[in-house]
Amino acid sequence: MEEVQQHDDKKSAVTDVGAWAMNVISSVGIIMVNKQLMSRAGFAFTFATTLTGLHFTVTAFVGFISNASGYSASKHVPLWELLWFSIVANTSITGMNLSLMLNSVGFYQISKLSMIPVVCVMEWILHNKHYSKEVKMAVVVVVLGVGVCTVTDVKVNGRGFLCACIAVLSTSLQQISIGSLQKKYSIGSFELLSKTAPIQALSLVILGPFIDYYLNGKFILNYKFSSSSIFFILLSCSLAVFCNISQYLCIGRFSAVSFQVLGHMKTVCVLTLGWLLFDSQLSLKNILGMVLAIIGMIVYSWAVELEKKAHARISLSKTSLTEEEIRLLREGIENSSTKDVELGDPKA
């Protein structure tokens, strides 16, 4: 029995690592592709919201094929929940794009880092979730590390601050909702994504060009497409499918906080790849920040493991009878048998 349990734990650990690896690789890959696609030195395709709509269009198409072929089963989720979730998710995307446009890169990075404590507070408010001292300490270390290696100039204005607040709150709520919807309706990550992707795709493809026009003053119909730019758009959409699936998969398996904390490994990877592939400068400050962030992620993983073991012990103690309880139960049965004999009650 123990061997079977160990085998299941090992299998679960492997699939957990696979989910994280898929998310990190696809996320880093899509950042590198989009950097080439959107930069002036590349193809100057500056239509981020519309591109996100195309990402969800391809994801919805993959989900449709999967359902039609019988590879994945479709479970019922109320339409109003899907619409509500899609509105929150689209608000997150739009808010992030507006925050990046209106604020400095430094403040944008700070707003992204603030998502970790915001998610913690929201999970405490919505689901009464508590965190150990070790987890809190690890979160602080990760935030400090990523902050040191990414935050430079910090400039903010009223509109930019409002957009950043909306982006952080909606993104945090979206990520918490992914996990809660999966648990509430016992639905898999890919099945949930298959239901939400078409709604997000339709709304972002329609509204995206107008949002992008507001952001950069350019309309997508005036963009001159080339075979190379189309290739990079398709490559970005393909990576987005894996990125979206792995995001739902990771949050469903772990939690929104874990996804945020370990997700900052992508920031470290992007900085490293930028240094290797694009001749970006890495200062001593960047390196020290990355080392601190990695230490924080390791400590966080250890702290979460401690929490899991503590919860398992509590659950075991609640469901298992103590020796004293077994003794009292045995004595109760014996006393009951004696009374039956004394009263002359017939026994089967």
Side-chain angles (χ1 to χ4, degrees):
M1 185 69 179
E2 288 181 3
E3 289 181 1
V4 174
Q5 181 66 38
Q6 288 175 358
H7 175 74
D8 290 341
D9 291 343
K10 189 175 180 181
K11 185 178 178 182
S12 177
V14 170
T15 51
D16 289 350
V17 171
W20 277 121
M22 185 197 296
N23 185 256
V24 172
I25 293 169
S26 60
S27 297
V28 173
I30 201 170
I31 289 170
M32 292 294 139
V33 169
N34 287 353
K35 186 172 182 178
Q36 179 65 22
L37 184 62
M38 294 182 177
S39 66
R40 291 181 181 178
F43 299 101
F45 186 82
T46 56
F47 309 99
T49 312
T50 306
L51 181 63
T52 306
L54 296 175
H55 288 170
F56 280 108
T57 301
V58 175
T59 303
F61 182 67
V62 171
F64 174 77
I65 292 175
S66 178
N67 288 331
S69 61
Y71 179 77
S72 58
S74 180
K75 291 187 178 180
H76 175 70
V77 178
L79 180 60
W80 71 268
E81 293 239 40
L82 296 176
L83 289 172
W84 172 83
F85 174 83
S86 299
I87 290 169
V88 172
N90 288 350
T91 303
S92 164
I93 294 164
T94 306
M96 280 296 181
N97 288 340
L98 287 170
S99 176
L100 183 58
M101 181 191 80
L102 297 171
N103 299 313
S104 65
V105 175
F107 186 79
Y108 176 75
Q109 289 292 346
I110 287 176
S111 67
K112 286 183 70 176
L113 287 172
S114 69
M115 283 182 203
I116 299 176
V118 169
V119 167
C120 290
V121 171
M122 289 183 77
E123 285 202 321
W124 171 63
I125 293 171
L126 297 174
H127 303 300
N128 197 29
K129 189 170 183 179
H130 297 275
Y131 301 91
S132 65
K133 292 179 183 176
E134 292 82 5
V135 168
K136 292 174 184 175
M137 178 184 70
V139 166
V140 172
V141 173
V142 171
V143 170
L144 284 175
V146 178
V148 167
C149 66
T150 59
V151 177
T152 51
D153 61 315
V154 180
K155 295 177 183 177
V156 64
N157 55 71
R159 285 196 307 163
F161 181 77
L162 180 62
C163 288
C165 289
I166 292 171
V168 169
L169 290 172
S170 57
T171 303
S172 302
L173 185 58
Q174 178 222 2
Q175 293 182 355
I176 292 171
S177 299
I178 290 173
S180 61
L181 283 174
Q182 288 186 50
K183 290 175 184 176
K184 185 176 180 180
Y185 296 103
S186 301
I187 189 171
S189 54
F190 185 68
E191 286 76 21
L192 179 60
L193 179 60
S194 298
K195 290 181 177 296
T196 57
I199 302 171
Q200 287 187 257
L202 183 63
S203 55
L204 288 174
V205 167
I206 293 172
L207 298 175
F210 300 102
I211 295 171
D212 289 329
Y213 181 77
Y214 173 77
L215 291 172
N216 56 42
K218 297 177 182 177
F219 202 59
I220 191 169
L221 294 178
N222 296 327
Y223 180 78
K224 294 181 180 179
F225 289 92
S226 65
S227 56
S228 298
S229 64
I230 292 171
F231 170 78
F232 271 85
I233 290 170
L234 292 174
L235 181 59
S236 178
C237 291
S238 301
L239 288 168
V241 174
F242 292 100
C243 190
N244 288 330
I245 292 172
S246 60
Q247 179 187 2
Y248 279 57
L249 195 63
C250 287
I251 294 175
R253 284 173 171 270
F254 310 104
S255 69
V257 177
S258 295
F259 182 75
Q260 280 290 335
V261 171
L262 297 181
H264 281 297
M265 179 62 73
K266 294 177 278 190
T267 304
V268 175
C269 292
V270 168
L271 286 172
T272 306
L273 286 174
W275 173 61
L276 292 172
L277 301 177
F278 298 103
D279 296 325
S280 299
Q281 295 297 317
L282 270 185
S283 63
L284 179 62
K285 175 173 165 284
N286 295 139
I287 295 169
L288 289 175
M290 285 192 288
V291 170
L292 188 61
I294 291 170
I295 291 171
M297 290 169 200
I298 294 169
V299 173
Y300 179 82
S301 300
W302 166 76
V304 168
E305 246 351 272
L306 279 183
E307 271 198 348
K308 283 182 181 176
K309 289 178 181 177
H311 287 313
R313 283 197 297 270
I314 291 170
S315 299
L316 188 64
S317 65
K318 285 182 178 179
T319 54
S320 301
L321 292 173
T322 62
E323 290 183 7
E324 181 67 16
E325 288 171 331
I326 293 171
R327 184 182 65 78
L328 291 171
L329 185 62
R330 188 182 294 119
E331 286 179 359
I333 293 171
E334 288 174 355
N335 291 338
S336 175
S337 299
T338 304
K339 286 178 182 177
D340 285 345
V341 172
E342 289 173 354
L343 293 170
D345 292 339
K347 295 192 289 289

